[in-house]
Amino acid sequence: GASQNITKMSATLRVILGVDNASKLTLPTGIPDSMEDLKQEITRQFNLSGNFRLQYRDKDFDNEFVNLSTTAELADKSTIKIIYMPGGSGTSTHRSAPHQRLDFDSSSSSLADTDILSSPESTSSGSSFRSQLWPQTFPIHQFSYEVEIQLEKANHAFHNSGTFLNPSTKLKSDILEGLASEMIKYKMYSLNEDFDHVALALITKHPCLKEQGSVSGHYGWKISLKYKMANYRTRLRNIGCPELSINAAKEKRGTTCKGPNQVKKPRKAEVNYCPDYPIGETKASLELERQTLLLEVKKKNQPLIKAKMERTFAYRRQEIIQDMPFITEFRDRWPALFSESEINAEFTHINTVTLLSRFMSKLDHYSNQLMKVFRKKGGAAGHKISMMVAAMDKVGCSMKWFCVATCQCACIFITLSIISACHYKFVLVCFPDSFWVVYLERSWKAMLSDMREQSPQYDEDVGIIIEGVEVLQDLRDVANGCAVLFGLVYSLNLTSPKDLRYMFELFQKVLMDLDGNRLSTKVQVLKNRLHE
């Protein structure tokens, strides 16, 4: 019944990371169905890098640890242990912060800070996708041998006598080239604060390069780096990097261009916005893969569907960004994308972070503070919110988490959005036997509706409509529907409706922590209140 559904919504595991080192793993959506998903969640939450296997306490062997081969062996409050495998290929990328060491049974692993399980050698236009978000501390890797010799001598002189280095034109160019080649691994279009970030990291590692007479000590490096990155992008564009070639001047002057807004570049902190095809693949070969994928969808061969969706990711992204197809046409070509699991996977490829687990865990994290903020809201918005909160307070325990999450998402909409009857309809009807929340409608449509307290089958009442086409249904609850809708905005490269821009900004920058340093005033105020 409903209580069983709610119980499955979350689980907690005890994870032994090493000697005298154990932590709690919170799984807001329950224990994953596959080992791969479980390992990915462990890697994300504990910032691990390197290949590892899992063991669990088996009751058949007096609770001794044995290898874990299926998540079906686990239950809430189970204990698992990580065994790092020396010599194995890394499954997550390194973090730029100083690495810490953990003592494992047979080896050790360095901490990482990324959410995607992928190769750290991803490049901007190669067969691998970027696998890292912009790091908190930018890593200054070794430059060429010639440059390192000069910097080593200059740093030695600085520490001995405080002498600063006045780099030659060639040395400065080589340093900037090395920095640009590292920055491009994270994003093509860096922000102003990114350049500050890198320039500061440079003079921190090599204090001999600090500029005399500059307040920050790195302002000149920052400006030079901006010019170097612009030149670097031009070179990549000339050799055919798709993420840059779509912004070439000849493309802007094309017959399909309708103005400056047609310039296509990442605008929502996408990491893999428009990747190149895998090495050895062409548009024709990947089209054959897509046609084979359609057959596998009919057969419901999930493992093969997952593999082919991953292989055709770059082909699909270029089609979405360059062709901008209608949703009906795109759904017919890529029906496998329109499921929760594939939207989650697509979002992970694009942003290097998992969608559903992070969205739900952050919503749960801010739960109490959100409710305090909503209860203090005044005016017409406060009146609507008070009706929702009152209805939520009356529900039974079996529906409590479901209604709290639903209420929060609806209240976020009211708090951050401009309610306009001619553009959107907001319908809230509270009956003794039902709880109706969130109905949004416009030419760009999204619908999340009708959850009934009295029926345990409320999962059939939530769906998403885009451009008048129902693309998903049976999404269980509004909170899950909001997360999936947010994932679709990225997967389909949609522009958030103007009246809902603050709500989607909150989802992106606060809940998902993507480009979270640049907030509008409205969202910044709400974020400040969440941390009071």
Side-chain angles (χ1 to χ4, degrees):
S3 60
Q4 294 178 339
N5 286 339
I6 296 301
T7 302
K8 291 178 65 178
M9 288 300 295
S10 62
T12 304
L13 301 178
R14 178 174 177 261
V15 181
I16 299 177
L17 299 168
V19 178
D20 298 327
N21 188 1
S23 296
K24 181 170 69 172
L25 175 69
T26 301
L27 301 168
T29 56
I31 297 174
D33 295 329
S34 70
M35 288 292 295
E36 179 184 354
D37 291 342
L38 176 60
K39 292 178 69 176
Q40 181 175 353
E41 189 62 22
I42 292 172
T43 301
R44 185 187 72 81
Q45 291 199 30
F46 298 126
N47 301 323
L48 302 182
S49 81
N51 194 16
F52 61 88
R53 56 188 171 89
L54 299 175
Q55 292 186 341
Y56 77 107
R57 293 188 183 276
D58 194 331
K59 296 181 180 179
D60 295 335
F61 296 95
D62 299 324
N63 281 329
E64 292 292 330
F65 281 105
V66 299
N67 291 337
L68 179 66
S69 59
T70 172
T71 58
E73 301 286 355
L74 301 178
D76 188 28
K77 305 298 191 298
S78 291
T79 297
I80 57 178
K81 180 167 66 173
I82 294 177
I83 305 297
Y84 184 70
M85 300 172 65
S89 59
T91 55
S92 72
T93 57
H94 66 277
R95 187 182 184 94
S96 56
H99 288 183
Q100 303 177 22
R101 306 297 290 180
L102 298 178
D103 294 327
F104 286 86
D105 290 350
S106 58
S107 183
S108 62
S109 172
S110 60
L111 288 183
D113 186 37
T114 50
D115 298 285
I116 184 73
L117 303 181
S118 182
S119 167
E121 303 301 326
S122 61
T123 60
S124 60
S125 58
S127 60
S128 299
F129 308 132
R130 294 192 187 93
S131 57
Q132 306 171 67
L133 291 172
W134 187 269
Q136 292 183 354
T137 302
F138 192 86
I140 304 297
H141 297 298
Q142 281 195 338
F143 299 106
S144 66
Y145 183 69
E146 178 184 357
V147 172
E148 286 293 331
I149 289 178
Q150 296 179 71
L151 289 178
E152 183 179 353
K153 291 182 178 180
N155 283 324
H156 183 70
F158 174 80
H159 290 301
N160 287 338
S161 61
T163 304
F164 292 98
L165 174 66
N166 183 18
S168 65
T169 302
K170 183 179 185 308
L171 177 58
K172 186 172 184 179
S173 178
D174 289 344
I175 292 174
L176 294 172
E177 186 82 11
L179 294 175
S181 64
E182 288 300 317
M183 292 176 66
I184 215 77
K185 294 180 180 179
Y186 297 99
K187 57 174 69 173
M188 285 289 186
Y189 297 92
S190 300
L191 305 173
N192 184 66
E193 54 264 33
D194 296 333
F195 291 107
D196 266 319
H197 199 184
V198 177
L200 177 60
L202 175 65
I203 65 169
T204 300
K205 183 171 183 179
H206 299 291
C208 64
L209 296 176
K210 188 174 180 180
E211 298 165 337
Q212 300 182 66
S214 170
V215 176
S216 65
H218 59 75
Y219 180 77
W221 284 106
K222 169 186 171 181
I223 300 302
S224 297
L225 191 54
K226 283 187 175 182
Y227 284 107
K228 176 61 72 171
M229 278 294 290
N231 293 334
Y232 199 84
R233 284 196 298 266
T234 300
R235 285 156 49 191
L236 290 177
R237 183 182 299 120
N238 291 338
I239 64 176
C241 177
E243 196 166 0
L244 294 167
S245 60
I246 59 174
N247 295 320
K250 62 181 181 181
E251 294 290 336
K252 297 176 190 177
R253 292 196 299 266
T255 56
T256 59
C257 182
K258 298 179 181 178
N261 291 332
Q262 290 296 314
V263 177
K264 308 174 185 70
K265 62 176 66 175
R267 298 188 185 277
K268 299 187 292 293
E270 296 96 334
V271 177
N272 294 301
Y273 182 67
C274 186
D276 202 356
Y277 300 148
I279 293 176
E281 297 288 357
T282 64
K283 184 175 182 179
S285 65
L286 291 174
E287 174 61 21
L288 290 177
E289 285 283 328
R290 185 195 67 81
Q291 294 175 8
T292 306
L293 176 61
L294 291 177
L295 298 177
E296 299 304 329
V297 170
K298 294 179 180 179
K299 298 177 184 177
K300 298 183 180 180
N301 188 339
Q302 293 303 323
L304 197 53
I305 290 173
K306 183 176 181 180
K308 288 189 177 295
M309 284 292 289
E310 182 171 352
R311 187 169 186 80
T312 55
F313 169 70
Y315 179 47
R316 188 164 52 255
R317 285 299 296 175
Q318 292 196 29
E319 178 180 328
I320 290 171
I321 293 168
Q322 297 181 16
D323 298 340
M324 294 182 287
F326 288 109
I327 191 66
T328 304
E329 175 189 350
F330 188 77
R331 186 183 60 171
D332 291 341
R333 284 178 55 80
W334 301 96
L337 176 63
F338 296 93
S339 68
E340 282 188 57
S341 61
E342 286 302 332
I343 290 171
N344 190 66
E346 196 85 351
F347 186 88
T348 302
H349 283 313
I350 296 170
N351 295 91
T352 77
V353 297
T354 54
L355 170 63
L356 297 176
S357 59
R358 175 174 287 198
F359 189 97
M360 294 302 179
S361 63
K362 282 297 188 73
L363 190 64
D364 187 57
H365 173 74
Y366 290 119
S367 177
N368 292 334
Q369 200 63 24
L370 276 170
M371 296 311 297
K372 291 180 181 179
V373 172
F374 295 149
R375 291 177 190 273
K376 293 180 180 179
K377 190 72 175 177
H383 177 67
K384 292 185 175 72
I385 289 175
S386 64
M387 294 171 60
M388 301 174 74
V389 172
M392 181 198 70
D393 290 340
K394 295 178 182 179
V395 302
C397 294
S398 64
M399 292 288 291
K400 197 69 175 179
W401 186 94
F402 160 71
C403 286
V404 168
T406 291
C407 181
Q408 287 172 352
C409 288
C411 291
I412 287 171
F413 169 75
I414 300 176
T415 302
L416 294 176
S417 302
I418 302 171
I419 308 302
S420 175
C422 61
H423 288 165
Y424 291 94
K425 296 177 183 177
F426 185 89
V427 179
L428 173 61
V429 184
C430 298
F431 297 107
D433 61 344
S434 67
F435 193 74
W436 296 60
V437 198
V438 188
Y439 179 85
L440 312 175
E441 183 179 25
R442 200 182 184 184
S443 57
W444 188 101
K445 291 186 178 181
M447 181 178 72
L448 307 170
S449 63
D450 185 15
M451 291 161 300
R452 298 179 179 278
E453 177 194 351
Q454 63 180 4
S455 171
Q457 302 300 323
Y458 55 80
D459 57 332
E460 297 181 356
D461 297 326
V462 182
I464 295 175
I465 294 177
I466 299 176
E467 295 177 358
V469 178
E470 184 178 281
V471 296
L472 280 166
Q473 55 184 3
D474 302 341
L475 294 179
R476 297 191 301 279
D477 57 70
V478 163
N480 187 64
C482 283
V484 175
L485 176 60
F486 180 71
L488 276 172
V489 168
Y490 278 82
S491 299
L492 303 178
N493 196 36
L494 300 174
T495 300
S496 303
K498 182 178 179 180
D499 291 348
L500 293 177
R501 64 188 183 277
Y502 296 120
M503 184 180 76
F504 280 97
E505 181 185 349
L506 181 81
F507 288 168
Q508 174 194 326
K509 299 184 177 184
V510 178
L511 296 188
M512 300 302 297
D513 197 23
L514 298 172
D515 193 19
N517 295 325
R518 297 161 55 89
L519 299 176
S520 64
T521 302
K522 199 166 190 176
V523 175
Q524 183 67 64
V525 169
L526 178 56
K527 183 179 180 180
N528 292 342
R529 291 178 179 174
L530 294 180
H531 291 88
E532 288 178 352

